[in-house]
Amino acid sequence: MASFDYLAAELEALKEQGRYRNLTVWDSGSSTWMELNGRKVLQMSSNNYLGLAGHPNLKKAAIDAIEQYGVGSGSVRTITGTLAIHDQLERELALFKGTEAVLAFQSGFTTNSGVLSSILNEGDVVISDELNHASIIDGIRLTKADRRIYAHKDMAQLEAILKESSHYTKRVVVTDGVFSMDGDIAPLPAIVELAEAYDAIVYVDDAHASGVLGKHGKGSTDHFNLHGRVHIQVGTLSKAIGVVGGYVACSQLLKDFLIHKARPFLFSTSQTPAVAAACLEAVHMLKSSDELIEKLWSHANYFRKALQDAGFDTGASETPIIPIIVGDPATTMRFSDRLLQEGIFAQGIVFPTVALDKGRVRLIVTASHTDEDLAFALERIIKVGREFGLI
Ligand SMILES: *Cc1c(COP(=O)(O)O)cnc(C)c1O
């Protein structure tokens, strides 16, 4: 009789390494103060950068869409699943990004797996930063293309790989725009220059840059003023945009191709109408005002500097993602637990997601934290940091 008994041993090993997880079940929606086991705790680990997940404008757009279209789209995009609201979202996102076209997917994850698996073939090579997101790695795994990994942001190594790879049919350089575990920004200008010199395609995944970097949150291509020089920009609608979904901003030609090839697009039901409508409202809000993004950056810069002044190691952070480097996995998880006792939720991130001695709590400061929230967080983090001898 076949059995899954070996799974118990694997889970036991995770427990021994301090890496076993129970899911945290929240009793309230995404917000700065959230209810957990009858207490209010300050949320410092959510990707809800602009507070849009609970914004009244987005809620109203979603409710109106449910009244107009119902709760489901009925099928994949190529059958009944492209409603006017999906089409409008893509057209307005393309105008927002300044590209010919946008194709939306159900998530950022399926965007990467769908696009990468469609554009890469045997005889191609994909050249990828070692810290790229799991969905990029999985997208690459779905193809027969060769793969080369360069050390994080190492442009000399990227150039060396480009130099020795001219025999491939097509070369695609892939990078996160903002790296999710360290909060540092990809050197996109250098990547674009190398790609142009060696005739390679540039693919940037702006999951943590969408709604965060660039004018109105248009992303890293806008931030570095590289319009027209990045072939493929992936964005997410799940983080700063506050809802769920992903998209690729690209040429009309590539969009037409993906409509025929991208498997998550072809074989999985489209976003619900409420999701598409709420995302569209978020795009309207980003276009009409920079207030939330300015607040986000002023909070992030203030908070990062205050942690550094207190003596914490915030790694390479230069965005609202601010890690506090703690060390080994067990200590990191204890640090995170202590912060929770003090009323702060700060997710511990440990090996193998990051190096064994680089366990960290990853803080994300948002536009909707108040000055009082940030002062509260600083006071408690400094107190626990002293207990742990981090400062
Ligand atoms: C979060 C993330 C994704 C996945 O986006 P979802 O919309 O949550 O599926 C993809 N790439 C990067 C770099 C991310 O940080």
Side-chain angles (χ1 to χ4, degrees), residues 107-109 112 133 135 176 178 180 205 207-208 236 238-239 245:
S107 72
F109 197 105
N112 277 328
H133 190 259
S135 55
D176 282 14
V178 169
S180 50
D205 174 1
H208 280 283
T236 185
S238 324
K239 289 171 178 156

Side-chain angles (χ1 to χ4, degrees), residues 17 19 327-329 349-360:
Q17 295 157 25
R19 289 168 47 204
D328 68 85
I349 295 175
V350 298
F351 183 81
T353 307
V354 295
L356 203 52
D357 61 340
K358 290 276 189 253
R360 68 207 48 200

